[in-house]
Amino acid sequence: MSVATSRGLQARKAPWAPLAKRATPYIVCVGGFLIAWQILSVILGEARLPGPINVVVQTWDPYISQPFYDDGGTSKGLGWQILISLQRVAIGYSLSAVVGIAIGGMLGMSRFIGTGFDPVVQVLRTVPPLAWFPISLMVFQDANTSAVFVIFITAIWPIIINTAVGIREIPQDYTNVARVLKLRKGAYIREIVIPATVPYVFTGLRIAVGLAWLAIVAAEMLKADGGIGYFIWDAYNAGGDSSSSQIVLAIIYVGIVGLLLDRLVAFAGRKFSKGAA
């Protein structure tokens, strides 16, 4: 083979080399995880822990092949169940973002208010999400509204804390410049506070979206009509031959959606930070 031919082959292979190099760790690690999972399934027994092969075989029709089937009522595919949960998360998370940024901004701008309300925030943020569910049911008398409230009250604390911390961490030089320029309150917030606190706010939003997704799955297990949490609990109560595989598949879906939500908020944060800079 001539030198020119050899270089030509290398040139054709070159574009695939970086892709193969990046994909190798994922293939090796994920493949190793699936093999270990299958071995553990064999040791424990398929009835107790279905392996990846069992999960695919037992849930292929209709849960994998038809994610958006609808037989009426709560008998829906996993695609619809995920969308039902996402709808609740979108409402609760959006409310927590608006209210959390507003409260966090107030706590950060006023040292007196921030110091006074700090014990309240520190106590309430440690309350487990499901502890709020009975109270919300008593107040709202509606399972769907209660689930949204649980998302709201779970997600709001990291947003409040990170927003307040971001404002307090604004360099003193920025504040001094604002005083020299005699910026009005609105201009100070728009020109200095917002650009300086955007990274902190989106850190809080990123933490909050994960907590919101965790909360909705747990809340739907207790009392809800539809949703991925409801699907998991319903499959467990059904106790059929494929129930464990359905639960494992739903857990995988939950993890994938949670990852996508996290990446989405992180992407929005990067874009917003560039625009605010």
Side-chain angles (χ1 to χ4, degrees):
M1 181 182 295
S2 65
V3 175
T5 304
S6 178
R7 289 178 178 175
L9 291 174
Q10 290 179 358
R12 286 196 294 270
K13 291 180 181 179
W16 296 99
L19 179 61
K21 187 176 181 179
R22 289 195 300 267
T24 299
Y26 298 103
I27 295 172
V28 172
C29 295
V30 174
F33 170 78
L34 293 175
I35 292 172
W37 175 11
Q38 187 65 47
I39 294 173
L40 186 60
S41 173
V42 173
I43 295 173
L44 296 177
E46 296 175 0
R48 296 175 62 186
L49 178 65
I53 297 175
N54 304 101
V55 171
V56 173
V57 171
Q58 294 179 358
T59 62
W60 180 261
D61 188 16
Y63 299 109
I64 296 177
S65 62
Q66 303 177 54
F68 291 98
Y69 80 85
D70 188 348
D71 291 339
T74 56
S75 179
K76 303 179 186 295
L78 282 173
W80 288 121
Q81 304 289 11
I82 290 288
L83 289 177
I84 292 171
S85 296
L86 284 175
Q87 183 180 22
R88 292 174 177 141
V89 168
I91 297 172
Y93 180 71
S94 298
L95 289 173
S96 70
V98 173
V99 177
I101 292 173
I103 294 177
M106 181 178 63
L107 299 183
M109 296 288 288
S110 172
R111 187 169 297 275
F112 177 84
I113 297 176
T115 301
F117 275 100
D118 184 67
V120 177
V121 173
Q122 297 304 326
V123 169
L124 294 181
R125 77 180 182 86
T126 61
V127 177
L130 293 186
W132 294 102
F133 198 74
I135 297 176
S136 61
L137 278 175
M138 289 187 291
V139 173
F140 299 109
Q141 301 290 311
D142 178 72
N144 188 60
T145 306
S146 299
V148 171
F149 174 78
V150 169
I151 296 166
F152 167 81
I153 203 68
T154 302
I156 195 171
W157 307 117
I159 300 174
I160 290 176
I161 293 171
N162 279 271
T163 302
V165 169
I167 294 175
R168 291 170 189 165
E169 291 296 321
I170 294 176
Q172 187 62 40
D173 291 344
Y174 291 10
T175 304
N176 294 336
V177 170
R179 289 173 180 171
V180 170
L181 296 177
K182 297 181 180 180
L183 291 179
R184 294 183 178 181
K185 198 71 171 180
Y188 173 72
I189 293 174
R190 184 175 61 255
E191 301 296 335
I192 294 179
V193 173
I194 292 178
T197 57
V198 162
Y200 291 90
V201 171
F202 272 93
T203 297
L205 290 172
R206 191 172 179 182
I207 296 172
V209 76
L211 294 176
W213 188 238
L214 291 174
I216 187 57
V217 173
E220 288 174 345
M221 285 184 179
L222 292 180
K223 191 175 180 67
D225 294 326
I228 193 65
Y230 170 86
F231 177 88
I232 292 173
W233 193 244
D234 186 60
Y236 173 78
N237 288 327
D241 294 337
S242 63
S243 292
S244 55
S245 293
Q246 293 174 30
I247 293 171
V248 171
L249 180 65
I251 289 173
I252 294 172
Y253 275 42
V254 167
I256 292 173
V257 173
L259 175 63
L260 293 176
L261 290 175
D262 176 79
R263 294 293 185 268
L264 178 62
V265 175
F267 174 78
R270 289 193 297 271
K271 292 296 183 181
F272 202 91
S273 296
K274 290 179 181 179

